[in-house]
Amino acid sequence: MAEIDGARLLQRLQTLRSFGATGSGVVRPTYSDTDMAARAWLVEQMEAAGLDAMIDGVGNVFGRSKNPGPALVLGSHSDTQPTGGWLDGAMGVMYGIEVAHALRDDPTTAHLAVDVAAWADEEGTYNSCLGSRSFVGEFGEADLAATNVHGESVAEALERVGVADRPTARFEPGRHVGYVEAHIEQGPHLEDTAMRIGVVTSIVGISAMEIEFAGEQNHAGSTPMPRRRDAGVALFEFGVRLRERFESLAGPTSVWTIGNVRLEPGAESIIPGRAWCVLQFRDPDPEVLRAFEAAAMELAAELTAAGPVDVTAGLARASMAPVAMDEELRRNLRDAAADRAAGAWVEMPSAAIHDGTVLAPHLPCAMLFIPSINGVSHDFSEDSHHEDIVLGCQVLADGVVRTLTQS
Ligand code: HGY
Ligand code: MN
Ligand code: MN
């Protein structure tokens, strides 16, 4: 089997980390200067690994093997959350480049085709999984109109960074036989069970709802309590009552959070006339997701009927259904893990969303996890042990070789 170069992998990961490095974390939002500088660097690294690489018309960095298919697509996203970790997405991209590099340099695997992607905007600075959706032809007008928190649209951003007129990388059914993404677990399971490799069985489904509260702005001191229409009070009541409802509907791995809240005008001596929040929930069962959505809608209607604040709820964006990983790709990853990490690997679901969620309905997909220290992610303290990072890349390389030599 081709042997990866762990030192080269770690060096490249540390260099990618430097684009947007902030303390121990990374701030590299989609289409920012640091994101585009990182993408330009990724083109160089993909070329050094023997790939024909470009930044495409939606900002994906796509490196195409010179070898004819069948080809596997490897990779992940290179953009980060607003307060991101150095490995979320980045590790999968660098694994893809390292595997392509190692296979090219080994005479027994130099004929195998591995294409590599650094997807744009998995993290939803504008619209989540934008780059992988473009790859499978699901990028549309709504994506071009999607805006970041500063109000810039994707269309404006693509013009600003100078890629709007470029062609876009596309799924080639006659060439691409599958997609394999390696990622940090972003949770505590592998570390808690002293496992070093996770072979993913499925990726959870996700929905996000915008809840709006319309009350009446007024003086926080001279307005008698019985006459207030305080949108903030309604928001907090929604959050508390929602928890009671969701707990009665939840499955064993259901999760939900309200991670983004706004009170308007947001001054301590003014009763908020308007409030807004985003409620996000996830579950491997689409029926639970539907029950959660209905419960949030019902609660909004009940609060409106009770008054004094009007509450409306609706989907913030299209929900993403749970997806199963491909059995043959999983088997090859299992066999590779059993070979390189005997007794230290496990099959498990992904509680985080990944670009594989978008790609799985179009081509066979699989994912590989390595442990996250303290199970932390989407935080500057996100980290993994270097030996686990190197082991994961070798297991991926072996799984790729098994798959492509069987094709
Ligand atoms: O939220 C997620 O699951 C992904 O990390 N964006
Ligand atoms: Mn993430
Ligand atoms: Mn990610």
Side-chain angles (χ1 to χ4, degrees):
M1 293 286 192
E3 295 298 316
I4 63 114
D5 181 333
R8 179 172 63 194
L9 167 67
L10 291 170
Q11 179 53 51
R12 279 175 163 153
L13 262 171
Q14 292 294 357
T15 303
L16 180 53
R17 182 182 200 168
S18 70
F19 293 95
T22 312
S24 61
V26 177
V27 177
R28 195 166 58 230
T30 305
Y31 305 138
S32 61
D33 293 345
T34 47
D35 180 44
M36 298 313 293
R39 292 180 189 275
W41 177 78
L42 286 169
V43 169
E44 295 167 7
Q45 302 311 304
M46 290 184 183
E47 298 277 355
L51 302 171
D52 294 328
M54 65 158 183
I55 299 175
D56 80 358
V58 294
N60 291 325
V61 186
F62 198 80
R64 200 177 193 279
S65 169
K66 294 177 173 60
N67 296 334
L72 277 176
V73 179
L74 307 184
S76 187
H77 58 95
S78 56
D79 60 291
T80 73
Q81 282 282 333
T83 50
W86 73 292
L87 292 169
D88 178 358
M91 190 187 80
V93 172
M94 299 326 292
Y95 272 25
I97 293 173
E98 178 54 37
V99 169
H101 204 147
L103 266 57
R104 184 204 58 183
D105 290 353
D106 182 319
T108 65
T109 56
H111 64 291
L112 300 178
V114 165
D115 295 351
V116 181
W119 305 118
D121 209 18
E122 186 277 345
E123 296 287 15
T125 295
Y126 294 84
N127 206 2
S128 57
C129 297
L130 179 156
S132 52
R133 283 191 288 106
S134 168
F135 187 69
V136 291
E138 293 176 356
F139 178 94
E141 290 306 314
D143 292 291
L144 285 171
T147 57
N148 65 4
V149 291
H150 308 299
E152 180 187 49
S153 71
V154 168
E156 291 162 339
L158 294 175
E159 285 292 341
R160 171 174 55 83
V161 301
V163 303
D165 299 333
R166 294 186 187 182
T168 53
R170 283 302 175 94
F171 167 44
E172 300 172 50
R175 173 184 175 82
H176 295 134
V177 294
Y179 173 71
V180 187
E181 176 170 345
H183 206 284
I184 50 173
E185 180 200 337
Q186 300 182 290
H189 183 63
L190 290 176
E191 187 176 67
D192 287 354
T193 54
M195 293 287 115
R196 299 186 65 198
I197 296 289
V199 178
V200 175
T201 54
S202 63
I203 303 176
V204 74
I206 187 173
S207 288
M209 297 180 76
E210 278 188 319
I211 321 295
E212 299 192 82
F213 306 80
E216 185 176 70
Q217 182 172 325
N218 209 330
H219 194 295
S222 53
T223 308
M225 290 306 281
R227 296 174 63 165
R228 294 183 182 207
R229 297 183 61 219
D230 189 328
V233 166
L235 186 153
F236 302 131
E237 184 176 359
F238 178 88
V240 170
R241 291 176 61 178
L242 180 97
R243 179 166 57 84
E244 295 157 4
R245 307 256 169 129
F246 274 26
E247 282 175 349
S248 67
L249 296 166
T253 59
S254 301
V255 294
W256 63 89
T257 196
I258 294 176
N260 199 353
V261 170
R262 203 171 49 238
L263 296 179
E264 296 172 0
E268 68 175 78
S269 294
I270 301 178
I271 299 168
R274 300 192 67 80
W276 167 93
C277 69
V278 176
L279 163 67
Q280 185 195 90
F281 42 91
R282 309 181 191 211
D283 197 279
D285 180 348
E287 286 310 313
V288 172
L289 292 176
R290 273 190 281 277
F292 279 170
E293 182 181 341
M297 301 289 281
E298 281 163 20
L299 179 54
E302 286 172 24
L303 288 173
T304 299
V309 171
D310 294 335
V311 185
T312 56
L315 282 177
R317 68 186 73 84
S319 298
M320 300 175 92
V323 292
M325 296 291 95
D326 175 75
E327 182 42 46
E328 185 194 339
L329 292 176
R330 278 173 55 186
R331 188 185 67 247
N332 290 328
L333 290 176
R334 281 199 303 265
D335 293 346
D339 188 30
R340 297 278 185 171
W345 66 277
V346 68
E347 293 201 280
M348 60 183 290
S350 171
I353 294 300
H354 302 281
D355 289 293
T357 304
V358 167
L359 300 174
H362 300 271
L363 74 163
C365 289
M367 289 197 73
L368 189 73
F369 280 168
I370 72 161
S372 293
I373 295 174
N374 301 322
V376 169
S377 182
H378 284 190
D379 182 86
F380 285 169
S381 65
E382 175 190 285
D383 202 359
S384 292
H385 297 296
H386 286 188
E387 57 271 22
D388 288 340
I389 293 173
V390 173
L391 173 65
C393 191
Q394 187 61 64
V395 170
L396 176 66
D398 293 358
V400 165
V401 170
R402 288 170 186 270
T403 301
L404 290 176
T405 47
Q406 289 163 7
S407 294

